[in-house]
Amino acid sequence: MSYTDKMLRDDALKGKVIVVTGGGSGLGKAMTKYFMELGAKVAITSRDLDKLKNTASELETATGGTCLPVQCDVRHYEEVENMLQAVLKEFGQVDVLLNNAAGNFISPTERLSANAFDTVIDIVLKGSKNCTLAFGKHWIDSKQKTSTILNIVTTYAWTGSAYVVPSATAKAGVLAMTRSLAVEWAKYGIRSNAIAPGPFPTKGAWDRLLPGDLAEKFDMAKKVPLKRVGDHQELANLAAYLVSDFSAYINGDVITIDGGEWLKGAGQFNLLEAIPEELWDQLEMMIKAKKNK
């Protein structure tokens, strides 16, 4: 067995209808593919309908499953409501909302315009709010017995991070919403959880975050104690489990999948890893000498 293997049994999501925002590419596409392989019907949404159609066709061919492309700008509530109605018209129900749509870029905060800051906030926080509110109201009004919200956040949602302040601000809000609604909406049979991924390189997002030769200069694997980045199937496995009935008692949690990256960054003395073995011998002798004085 390998961490790149598929985890759940083939029919684990049979009968479920899942909506994945930002599902046309990257991690959204990877999760969608696995959901379909497990028997779910999936609707993918973004602003780029052509990309969605191409992805849906590709995934249906690869899995034999059903994928519905629906154009939607999550920043606008009326578009989210229209998207929800399109999914209900096609499938008759919706069981899972995966808030995956995101926007991010690196920049010193003082160089950002108010509009640039708003762009990230609107996609990540407002978009997740719009979808959560629309779907939640539908589930409550229709008295659906069980339903699930899964939000993709980041580890810096609780620590913050320099140079991605709009994203950190937005993701912290999404995490607070996740935990708050897990308590408030549990009585309606709605579970709310989150995943905080570490480095899972994708072509589009990583080109924006680390343009040019920055990706080579800032090797993300070096920041991870396991000395590697994540494989897309690992994230898909975790997401599939959290939206499946196997996780029915998990509610209000955020699960980190980052190989220990954020813990390494959080530890005050973790940078001492850079000290070579021979220097440790010298340091130990110096420390002992001071103790003996």
Side-chain angles (χ1 to χ4, degrees):
M1 296 292 289
S2 166
Y3 60 80
T4 61
D5 289 339
K6 297 163 187 176
M7 183 174 76
L8 297 183
R9 67 192 192 195
D10 291 345
D11 61 349
L13 297 179
K14 187 176 181 180
K16 289 192 182 294
V17 174
I18 301 173
V19 171
V20 180
T21 68
S25 61
L27 297 178
K29 180 180 177 181
M31 290 184 283
T32 295
K33 182 180 181 182
Y34 192 42
F35 295 162
M36 294 170 66
E37 290 173 338
L38 294 174
K41 296 176 180 177
V42 185
I44 54 175
T45 80
S46 74
R47 289 173 290 173
D48 190 337
L49 184 58
D50 288 337
K51 178 187 285 187
L52 291 174
K53 287 180 176 178
N54 290 336
T55 297
S57 177
E58 176 189 336
L59 294 182
E60 286 185 339
T61 299
T63 67
T66 302
C67 186
L68 175 69
V70 184
Q71 187 175 34
C72 176
D73 186 339
V74 295
R75 296 175 295 181
H76 304 297
Y77 189 77
E78 64 277 9
E79 290 196 30
V80 172
E81 286 194 311
N82 291 338
M83 175 266 288
L84 172 58
Q85 292 306 313
V87 175
L88 292 173
K89 182 179 179 180
E90 180 71 19
F91 297 131
Q93 68 183 69
V94 61
D95 304 286
V96 177
L97 167 65
L98 173 50
N99 282 314
N100 171 71
N104 196 10
F105 47 83
I106 55 171
S107 175
T109 307
E110 69 273 15
R111 295 172 67 95
L112 293 173
S113 68
N115 286 337
F117 207 116
D118 286 348
T119 296
V120 177
I121 295 290
D122 286 351
I123 296 172
V124 178
L125 181 54
K126 186 178 177 182
S128 297
K129 177 271 297 181
N130 284 342
C131 292
T132 298
L133 199 58
F135 280 63
K137 285 174 178 286
H138 163 71
W139 287 327
I140 293 167
D141 292 344
S142 62
K143 294 181 170 56
Q144 186 161 316
K145 288 186 178 180
T146 59
S147 44
T148 303
I149 300 167
L150 180 60
N151 297 317
I152 304 298
V153 294
T154 65
T155 53
Y156 56 70
W158 54 84
T159 64
S161 177
Y163 303 104
V164 285
V165 171
S167 176
T169 302
K171 292 292 191 181
V174 173
L175 181 56
M177 181 173 66
T178 302
R179 288 170 166 160
S180 301
L181 291 179
V183 176
E184 184 178 343
W185 282 0
K187 62 179 176 285
Y188 301 118
I190 302 172
R191 290 190 300 121
S192 182
N193 291 297
I195 297 175
F200 281 83
T202 61
K203 177 65 177 171
W206 282 61
D207 282 351
R208 290 190 298 272
L209 283 171
L210 297 171
D213 62 352
L214 284 181
E216 294 182 10
K217 291 182 178 179
F218 296 95
D219 183 357
M220 299 301 287
K222 293 178 180 178
K223 294 180 58 187
V224 181
L226 292 180
K227 301 302 180 186
R228 68 173 178 87
V229 296
D231 184 87
H232 288 196
Q233 186 63 45
E234 293 179 279
L235 181 62
N237 283 339
L238 178 57
Y241 169 68
L242 288 174
V243 302
S244 76
D245 294 336
F246 295 116
S247 64
Y249 202 51
I250 298 178
N251 185 39
D253 208 352
V254 51
I255 299 180
T256 302
I257 179 168
D258 74 342
E261 180 203 26
W262 91 267
L263 288 171
K264 181 178 179 180
Q268 188 173 8
F269 292 98
N270 287 343
L271 289 175
L272 294 180
E273 184 183 74
I275 294 178
E277 191 68 30
E278 59 272 15
L279 185 54
W280 276 113
D281 294 335
Q282 297 177 35
L283 290 173
E284 187 175 333
M285 292 174 61
M286 292 168 62
I287 293 170
K288 287 180 177 178
K290 287 190 175 182
K291 279 185 177 179
N292 294 330
K293 284 184 178 180

